[in-house]
Amino acid sequence: EAIWTDAAGGSFIYDEIHAYETGRLGMILATMKYAVQELGAHIFVMSATLPSRLKGILQEILPESTPILASEQTFQRFRRHEVRILPYGLLAKESIARIRQDADSGKAVLVVANTVQRVQTLWQQPGADAQLLHGRFHADDRNKKEEELRKRQGVGVRQLDQPVLLVATQVVEVSLNVDFDVLYSDPAPLEALLQRFGRINRKQQKISPEPKPVYVCSEIPEGCPVYQRHLVESALGALLTWDEKVLEESKIQKILDNIYAGDYGNHWERQIRGAINQFERDALASSRPFISDERISDAFYELFDGHEVLPYDCLEEYR
């Protein structure tokens, strides 16, 4: 009740809305619609990746919205990345040898894998003095790691003569304003890969005018269904045309639209609209002030596959 009251007439920024998580996106869009239509809120949506199909749904929710696009001159200034597609997996001996070579040469190297287990496997490789970051550290440890990373690799503060090797999951894509020289990544949907690319050569104009390499492994790992296979394969197919070329930021919109076109795009849109309707029906329409609903509470916890646990040696501090 307090949150809804605070939201009435408020102004909100939705940063980096991504299309590939349809269930979560449906809840976000339904809440956005409620905030605008019922609470008189004002919404600003910003993202490096907005497929035209998603833009269409946003324009329905925000009928008086005005699009703001970067100019061609801005796109030309941000030619920061040279795409390299590797014909093997991130855990292959060839990838590990390349990563070690770049780290030993003094570069700041970022390696991103799609699961915690794969990250831990990379981190345990002999001879690699790597730092580790993923979402399963408890809050204090993760905050310390991220703060140390920002001090050492943050945009505008990193020291060019200090090599570093960071092995991380998708947590590095979100909110960390860090700057590396080279990326090695598991394959992922295009939106996720572009977020990973964004951590490379981030302060391009002031540190280095030359594009920096971003390596994407083409082997899709078995047994880690983090993303829809179709979206991963589509991203790899799109990036193959840019192999050993500098990625043109102005072309990304067309690439995204192609991925969300055709039969898959129709299926995606049905999923999104279904998720919006379901959240409106099961959560927003049945929510009443000062009346709890166990069904909504149960539905909330069903979103999370697992339970939070705490290391035993932190028990006394927690108490």
Side-chain angles (χ1 to χ4, degrees):
E1 293 85 355
I3 292 173
W4 280 136
T5 303
D6 286 342
S11 299
F12 298 89
I13 296 174
Y14 286 73
D15 185 21
E16 294 300 350
I17 298 293
H18 294 150
Y20 57 84
E21 293 183 308
T22 53
R24 181 178 301 178
L25 179 59
M27 290 188 285
I28 291 171
L29 293 174
T31 308
M32 186 188 300
K33 179 180 174 182
Y34 184 85
V36 170
Q37 297 182 1
E38 303 296 331
L39 302 177
H42 305 277
I43 305 290
F44 184 89
V45 178
M46 57 190 297
S47 180
T49 52
L50 275 178
S52 292
R53 279 184 183 267
L54 177 53
K55 287 182 182 179
I57 296 174
L58 283 168
Q59 285 174 336
E60 293 176 16
I61 294 172
L62 310 171
E64 299 179 6
S65 60
T66 303
I68 302 171
L69 303 174
S71 67
E72 186 60 34
Q73 292 81 1
T74 300
F75 280 130
Q76 288 301 314
R77 288 207 315 271
F78 280 86
R79 300 173 74 252
R80 299 175 293 168
H81 307 121
E82 182 178 306
V83 177
R84 310 274 183 87
I85 304 297
L86 299 179
Y88 33 76
L90 189 60
L91 299 183
K93 62 180 186 299
E94 295 90 345
S95 297
I96 293 170
R98 281 177 172 269
I99 292 167
R100 282 182 185 156
Q101 184 177 3
D102 277 343
D104 291 342
S105 69
K107 295 178 182 178
V109 182
L110 173 61
V111 183
V112 183
N114 291 345
T115 65
V116 173
Q117 184 177 7
R118 289 173 65 76
V119 163
Q120 290 171 332
T121 300
L122 284 163
W123 179 70
Q124 291 166 349
Q125 292 296 315
D129 185 18
Q131 299 164 47
L132 183 65
L133 181 64
H134 56 69
R136 289 191 191 163
F137 289 103
H138 75 71
D140 283 352
D141 282 351
R142 179 172 168 183
N143 287 340
K144 288 175 185 175
K145 284 176 171 288
E146 292 186 353
E147 184 60 30
E148 290 171 2
L149 184 62
R150 279 189 288 264
K151 288 179 180 178
R152 187 176 56 255
Q153 288 299 124
V155 172
V157 299
R158 63 165 286 198
Q159 301 299 313
L160 294 180
D161 58 348
Q162 290 185 353
V164 65
L165 172 57
L166 175 66
V167 181
T169 58
Q170 300 93 317
V171 296
V172 78
E173 299 170 20
V174 186
S175 75
L176 281 177
N177 191 22
V178 290
D179 189 15
F180 288 80
D181 296 321
V182 59
L183 169 73
Y184 290 86
S185 175
D186 265 337
L190 184 62
E191 297 97 315
L193 289 175
L194 291 171
Q195 289 296 314
R196 298 174 193 186
F197 293 0
R199 272 61 194 167
I200 308 301
N201 207 11
R202 197 164 175 84
K203 199 68 172 177
Q204 173 239 14
Q205 290 92 343
K206 297 198 175 173
I207 290 182
S208 170
E210 298 299 320
K212 297 290 179 66
V214 288
Y215 294 92
V216 179
C217 295
S218 59
E219 183 179 297
I220 300 176
E222 292 295 331
C224 64
V226 178
Y227 305 110
Q228 289 185 45
R229 192 176 186 90
H230 168 81
L231 291 176
V232 177
E233 291 174 343
S234 297
L236 287 171
L239 290 176
L240 267 175
T241 63
W242 293 94
D243 191 19
E244 298 189 2
K245 299 176 184 176
V246 177
L247 183 62
E248 297 283 353
E249 299 279 340
S250 60
K251 307 296 184 185
I252 287 172
Q253 184 67 55
K254 184 176 181 181
I255 297 171
L256 267 178
D257 288 345
N258 288 339
I259 290 174
Y260 288 93
D263 290 341
Y264 177 78
N266 294 333
H267 171 71
W268 174 88
E269 187 164 338
R270 286 194 298 270
Q271 283 190 311
I272 289 293
R273 293 187 182 279
I276 292 172
N277 292 336
Q278 181 180 0
F279 193 70
E280 287 179 331
R281 181 188 69 239
D282 296 345
L284 297 177
S286 60
S287 182
R288 295 289 182 270
F290 308 111
I291 301 175
S292 62
D293 188 336
E294 290 186 2
R295 293 173 301 171
I296 297 179
S297 178
D298 291 342
F300 174 76
Y301 285 109
E302 285 174 4
L303 297 173
F304 305 96
D305 181 18
H307 301 275
E308 288 196 11
V309 298
L310 192 67
Y312 189 76
D313 58 5
C314 298
L315 182 58
E316 288 306 313
E317 179 184 356
Y318 172 76
R319 283 174 172 165

mmCIF file of all heavy atoms in Angstrom, residues 102-132:
data_model
loop_
_atom_site.group_PDB
_atom_site.id
_atom_site.type_symbol
_atom_site.label_atom_id
_atom_site.label_comp_id
_atom_site.label_asym_id
_atom_site.label_seq_id
_atom_site.Cartn_x
_atom_site.Cartn_y
_atom_site.Cartn_z
ATOM 1 N N ASP A 102 46.282 -13.356 -23.163
ATOM 2 C CA ASP A 102 45.912 -11.942 -23.030
ATOM 3 C C ASP A 102 46.174 -11.436 -21.616
ATOM 4 O O ASP A 102 46.640 -10.298 -21.420
ATOM 5 C CB ASP A 102 44.436 -11.758 -23.385
ATOM 6 C CG ASP A 102 44.203 -11.637 -24.879
ATOM 7 O OD1 ASP A 102 45.185 -11.380 -25.602
ATOM 8 O OD2 ASP A 102 43.058 -11.810 -25.326
ATOM 9 N N ALA A 103 45.859 -12.261 -20.606
ATOM 10 C CA ALA A 103 46.096 -11.845 -19.217
ATOM 11 C C ALA A 103 47.596 -11.675 -18.960
ATOM 12 O O ALA A 103 48.012 -10.701 -18.321
ATOM 13 C CB ALA A 103 45.494 -12.860 -18.254
ATOM 14 N N ASP A 104 48.410 -12.599 -19.462
ATOM 15 C CA ASP A 104 49.857 -12.525 -19.247
ATOM 16 C C ASP A 104 50.496 -11.336 -19.967
ATOM 17 O O ASP A 104 51.557 -10.855 -19.565
ATOM 18 C CB ASP A 104 50.534 -13.819 -19.720
ATOM 19 C CG ASP A 104 50.181 -15.016 -18.839
ATOM 20 O OD1 ASP A 104 49.706 -14.784 -17.704
ATOM 21 O OD2 ASP A 104 50.366 -16.160 -19.287
ATOM 22 N N SER A 105 49.826 -10.856 -21.026
ATOM 23 C CA SER A 105 50.378 -9.721 -21.776
ATOM 24 C C SER A 105 50.038 -8.381 -21.131
ATOM 25 O O SER A 105 50.410 -7.329 -21.662
ATOM 26 C CB SER A 105 49.863 -9.748 -23.214
ATOM 27 O OG SER A 105 48.468 -9.465 -23.261
ATOM 28 N N GLY A 106 49.301 -8.417 -20.016
ATOM 29 C CA GLY A 106 49.016 -7.188 -19.279
ATOM 30 C C GLY A 106 47.669 -6.566 -19.557
ATOM 31 O O GLY A 106 47.392 -5.452 -19.094
ATOM 32 N N LYS A 107 46.808 -7.254 -20.274
ATOM 33 C CA LYS A 107 45.492 -6.698 -20.580
ATOM 34 C C LYS A 107 44.517 -6.911 -19.425
ATOM 35 O O LYS A 107 44.700 -7.815 -18.605
ATOM 36 C CB LYS A 107 44.924 -7.352 -21.843
ATOM 37 C CG LYS A 107 45.710 -7.051 -23.099
ATOM 38 C CD LYS A 107 45.107 -7.769 -24.296
ATOM 39 C CE LYS A 107 45.916 -7.503 -25.563
ATOM 40 N NZ LYS A 107 45.362 -8.243 -26.719
ATOM 41 N N ALA A 108 43.497 -6.088 -19.400
ATOM 42 C CA ALA A 108 42.373 -6.296 -18.480
ATOM 43 C C ALA A 108 41.364 -7.180 -19.194
ATOM 44 O O ALA A 108 40.734 -6.759 -20.177
ATOM 45 C CB ALA A 108 41.744 -4.963 -18.090
ATOM 46 N N VAL A 109 41.211 -8.419 -18.721
ATOM 47 C CA VAL A 109 40.441 -9.435 -19.425
ATOM 48 C C VAL A 109 39.169 -9.747 -18.637
ATOM 49 O O VAL A 109 39.218 -10.037 -17.446
ATOM 50 C CB VAL A 109 41.271 -10.724 -19.612
ATOM 51 C CG1 VAL A 109 40.472 -11.766 -20.395
ATOM 52 C CG2 VAL A 109 42.591 -10.419 -20.310
ATOM 53 N N LEU A 110 38.038 -9.727 -19.331
ATOM 54 C CA LEU A 110 36.755 -10.105 -18.745
ATOM 55 C C LEU A 110 36.280 -11.390 -19.403
ATOM 56 O O LEU A 110 36.206 -11.480 -20.635
ATOM 57 C CB LEU A 110 35.712 -9.000 -18.958
ATOM 58 C CG LEU A 110 34.270 -9.312 -18.539
ATOM 59 C CD1 LEU A 110 34.178 -9.601 -17.048
ATOM 60 C CD2 LEU A 110 33.330 -8.175 -18.933
ATOM 61 N N VAL A 111 35.946 -12.387 -18.579
ATOM 62 C CA VAL A 111 35.408 -13.656 -19.071
ATOM 63 C C VAL A 111 34.022 -13.827 -18.457
ATOM 64 O O VAL A 111 33.878 -13.770 -17.236
ATOM 65 C CB VAL A 111 36.315 -14.844 -18.677
ATOM 66 C CG1 VAL A 111 35.771 -16.146 -19.261
ATOM 67 C CG2 VAL A 111 37.749 -14.599 -19.134
ATOM 68 N N VAL A 112 33.007 -14.039 -19.310
ATOM 69 C CA VAL A 112 31.633 -14.163 -18.824
ATOM 70 C C VAL A 112 31.069 -15.506 -19.254
ATOM 71 O O VAL A 112 30.999 -15.811 -20.449
ATOM 72 C CB VAL A 112 30.732 -13.026 -19.352
ATOM 73 C CG1 VAL A 112 29.331 -13.155 -18.758
ATOM 74 C CG2 VAL A 112 31.318 -11.669 -18.997
ATOM 75 N N ALA A 113 30.667 -16.311 -18.271
ATOM 76 C CA ALA A 113 30.021 -17.594 -18.520
ATOM 77 C C ALA A 113 28.573 -17.520 -18.049
ATOM 78 O O ALA A 113 28.215 -16.676 -17.221
ATOM 79 C CB ALA A 113 30.761 -18.723 -17.813
ATOM 80 N N ASN A 114 27.755 -18.424 -18.548
ATOM 81 C CA ASN A 114 26.310 -18.327 -18.306
ATOM 82 C C ASN A 114 25.838 -18.945 -16.999
ATOM 83 O O ASN A 114 24.695 -18.714 -16.602
ATOM 84 C CB ASN A 114 25.546 -18.971 -19.463
ATOM 85 C CG ASN A 114 25.661 -18.169 -20.745
ATOM 86 O OD1 ASN A 114 26.059 -17.010 -20.740
ATOM 87 N ND2 ASN A 114 25.323 -18.794 -21.865
ATOM 88 N N THR A 115 26.675 -19.747 -16.348
ATOM 89 C CA THR A 115 26.262 -20.368 -15.091
ATOM 90 C C THR A 115 27.382 -20.262 -14.064
ATOM 91 O O THR A 115 28.567 -20.131 -14.413
ATOM 92 C CB THR A 115 25.912 -21.861 -15.278
ATOM 93 O OG1 THR A 115 27.093 -22.582 -15.652
ATOM 94 C CG2 THR A 115 24.834 -22.045 -16.334
ATOM 95 N N VAL A 116 27.000 -20.349 -12.793
ATOM 96 C CA VAL A 116 27.982 -20.287 -11.711
ATOM 97 C C VAL A 116 28.964 -21.450 -11.815
ATOM 98 O O VAL A 116 30.182 -21.275 -11.621
ATOM 99 C CB VAL A 116 27.271 -20.284 -10.339
ATOM 100 C CG1 VAL A 116 28.280 -20.390 -9.205
ATOM 101 C CG2 VAL A 116 26.429 -19.020 -10.182
ATOM 102 N N GLN A 117 28.462 -22.633 -12.131
ATOM 103 C CA GLN A 117 29.340 -23.803 -12.216
ATOM 104 C C GLN A 117 30.417 -23.620 -13.281
ATOM 105 O O GLN A 117 31.591 -23.944 -13.065
ATOM 106 C CB GLN A 117 28.525 -25.060 -12.516
ATOM 107 C CG GLN A 117 29.362 -26.341 -12.522
ATOM 108 C CD GLN A 117 28.521 -27.582 -12.758
ATOM 109 O OE1 GLN A 117 27.334 -27.486 -13.049
ATOM 110 N NE2 GLN A 117 29.137 -28.740 -12.631
ATOM 111 N N ARG A 118 30.050 -23.060 -14.423
ATOM 112 C CA ARG A 118 31.036 -22.843 -15.491
ATOM 113 C C ARG A 118 32.054 -21.778 -15.078
ATOM 114 O O ARG A 118 33.247 -21.892 -15.362
ATOM 115 C CB ARG A 118 30.326 -22.439 -16.784
ATOM 116 C CG ARG A 118 29.555 -23.576 -17.421
ATOM 117 C CD ARG A 118 28.724 -23.108 -18.614
ATOM 118 N NE ARG A 118 29.536 -22.633 -19.722
ATOM 119 C CZ ARG A 118 30.193 -23.422 -20.563
ATOM 120 N NH1 ARG A 118 30.146 -24.738 -20.413
ATOM 121 N NH2 ARG A 118 30.881 -22.905 -21.564
ATOM 122 N N VAL A 119 31.593 -20.752 -14.397
ATOM 123 C CA VAL A 119 32.505 -19.715 -13.899
ATOM 124 C C VAL A 119 33.502 -20.305 -12.901
ATOM 125 O O VAL A 119 34.701 -20.018 -12.938
ATOM 126 C CB VAL A 119 31.695 -18.566 -13.264
ATOM 127 C CG1 VAL A 119 32.582 -17.691 -12.394
ATOM 128 C CG2 VAL A 119 31.054 -17.717 -14.341
ATOM 129 N N GLN A 120 33.003 -21.135 -11.990
ATOM 130 C CA GLN A 120 33.890 -21.749 -11.007
ATOM 131 C C GLN A 120 34.913 -22.670 -11.672
ATOM 132 O O GLN A 120 36.079 -22.709 -11.271
ATOM 133 C CB GLN A 120 33.056 -22.517 -9.982
ATOM 134 C CG GLN A 120 32.246 -21.603 -9.067
ATOM 135 C CD GLN A 120 31.252 -22.355 -8.202
ATOM 136 O OE1 GLN A 120 30.772 -23.431 -8.584
ATOM 137 N NE2 GLN A 120 30.922 -21.803 -7.033
ATOM 138 N N THR A 121 34.488 -23.381 -12.707
ATOM 139 C CA THR A 121 35.413 -24.242 -13.445
ATOM 140 C C THR A 121 36.527 -23.426 -14.093
ATOM 141 O O THR A 121 37.705 -23.785 -14.041
ATOM 142 C CB THR A 121 34.659 -25.042 -14.524
ATOM 143 O OG1 THR A 121 33.658 -25.850 -13.900
ATOM 144 C CG2 THR A 121 35.601 -25.940 -15.311
ATOM 145 N N LEU A 122 36.168 -22.295 -14.689
ATOM 146 C CA LEU A 122 37.178 -21.420 -15.300
ATOM 147 C C LEU A 122 38.123 -20.848 -14.245
ATOM 148 O O LEU A 122 39.336 -20.786 -14.450
ATOM 149 C CB LEU A 122 36.481 -20.275 -16.050
ATOM 150 C CG LEU A 122 35.859 -20.632 -17.393
ATOM 151 C CD1 LEU A 122 34.872 -19.551 -17.815
ATOM 152 C CD2 LEU A 122 36.946 -20.791 -18.450
ATOM 153 N N TRP A 123 37.564 -20.434 -13.141
ATOM 154 C CA TRP A 123 38.354 -19.815 -12.074
ATOM 155 C C TRP A 123 39.374 -20.796 -11.488
ATOM 156 O O TRP A 123 40.449 -20.396 -11.045
ATOM 157 C CB TRP A 123 37.403 -19.315 -10.993
ATOM 158 C CG TRP A 123 38.073 -18.668 -9.820
ATOM 159 C CD1 TRP A 123 38.718 -17.460 -9.808
ATOM 160 C CD2 TRP A 123 38.146 -19.179 -8.500
ATOM 161 N NE1 TRP A 123 39.189 -17.185 -8.554
ATOM 162 C CE2 TRP A 123 38.854 -18.233 -7.717
ATOM 163 C CE3 TRP A 123 37.678 -20.339 -7.881
ATOM 164 C CZ2 TRP A 123 39.106 -18.420 -6.365
ATOM 165 C CZ3 TRP A 123 37.930 -20.515 -6.537
ATOM 166 C CH2 TRP A 123 38.635 -19.576 -5.796
ATOM 167 N N GLN A 124 39.043 -22.080 -11.500
ATOM 168 C CA GLN A 124 39.917 -23.099 -10.917
ATOM 169 C C GLN A 124 41.005 -23.584 -11.875
ATOM 170 O O GLN A 124 41.794 -24.464 -11.508
ATOM 171 C CB GLN A 124 39.069 -24.296 -10.459
ATOM 172 C CG GLN A 124 38.185 -23.973 -9.260
ATOM 173 C CD GLN A 124 37.106 -25.014 -9.015
ATOM 174 O OE1 GLN A 124 36.877 -25.889 -9.850
ATOM 175 N NE2 GLN A 124 36.436 -24.912 -7.877
ATOM 176 N N GLN A 125 41.052 -23.018 -13.072
ATOM 177 C CA GLN A 125 42.089 -23.447 -14.011
ATOM 178 C C GLN A 125 43.478 -23.132 -13.458
ATOM 179 O O GLN A 125 43.714 -22.027 -12.954
ATOM 180 C CB GLN A 125 41.915 -22.739 -15.365
ATOM 181 C CG GLN A 125 40.678 -23.164 -16.119
ATOM 182 C CD GLN A 125 40.719 -24.626 -16.503
ATOM 183 O OE1 GLN A 125 41.738 -25.130 -16.984
ATOM 184 N NE2 GLN A 125 39.613 -25.308 -16.293
ATOM 185 N N PRO A 126 44.398 -24.081 -13.521
ATOM 186 C CA PRO A 126 45.751 -23.823 -12.990
ATOM 187 C C PRO A 126 46.444 -22.721 -13.774
ATOM 188 O O PRO A 126 46.287 -22.595 -14.987
ATOM 189 C CB PRO A 126 46.456 -25.175 -13.180
ATOM 190 C CG PRO A 126 45.675 -25.880 -14.238
ATOM 191 C CD PRO A 126 44.272 -25.427 -14.092
ATOM 192 N N GLY A 127 47.179 -21.898 -13.057
ATOM 193 C CA GLY A 127 47.964 -20.844 -13.685
ATOM 194 C C GLY A 127 47.207 -19.566 -13.952
ATOM 195 O O GLY A 127 47.788 -18.597 -14.420
ATOM 196 N N ALA A 128 45.932 -19.554 -13.671
ATOM 197 C CA ALA A 128 45.137 -18.348 -13.916
ATOM 198 C C ALA A 128 44.858 -17.647 -12.588
ATOM 199 O O ALA A 128 44.101 -18.148 -11.760
ATOM 200 C CB ALA A 128 43.828 -18.711 -14.602
ATOM 201 N N ASP A 129 45.488 -16.505 -12.376
ATOM 202 C CA ASP A 129 45.272 -15.722 -11.154
ATOM 203 C C ASP A 129 44.042 -14.849 -11.363
ATOM 204 O O ASP A 129 44.138 -13.642 -11.569
ATOM 205 C CB ASP A 129 46.508 -14.882 -10.856
ATOM 206 C CG ASP A 129 46.379 -14.141 -9.527
ATOM 207 O OD1 ASP A 129 45.512 -14.546 -8.708
ATOM 208 O OD2 ASP A 129 47.118 -13.168 -9.318
ATOM 209 N N ALA A 130 42.865 -15.484 -11.310
ATOM 210 C CA ALA A 130 41.622 -14.800 -11.671
ATOM 211 C C ALA A 130 40.842 -14.377 -10.443
ATOM 212 O O ALA A 130 40.926 -15.001 -9.380
ATOM 213 C CB ALA A 130 40.766 -15.712 -12.542
ATOM 214 N N GLN A 131 40.071 -13.323 -10.608
ATOM 215 C CA GLN A 131 39.092 -12.922 -9.608
ATOM 216 C C GLN A 131 37.726 -13.485 -10.019
ATOM 217 O O GLN A 131 37.468 -13.686 -11.199
ATOM 218 C CB GLN A 131 39.033 -11.401 -9.519
ATOM 219 C CG GLN A 131 40.365 -10.788 -9.105
ATOM 220 C CD GLN A 131 40.403 -9.309 -9.383
ATOM 221 O OE1 GLN A 131 39.463 -8.604 -9.062
ATOM 222 N NE2 GLN A 131 41.473 -8.845 -9.996
ATOM 223 N N LEU A 132 36.880 -13.705 -9.028
ATOM 224 C CA LEU A 132 35.620 -14.405 -9.251
ATOM 225 C C LEU A 132 34.446 -13.538 -8.806
ATOM 226 O O LEU A 132 34.487 -12.938 -7.738
ATOM 227 C CB LEU A 132 35.631 -15.723 -8.462
ATOM 228 C CG LEU A 132 34.428 -16.658 -8.597
ATOM 229 C CD1 LEU A 132 34.321 -17.189 -10.015
ATOM 230 C CD2 LEU A 132 34.565 -17.815 -7.609
#
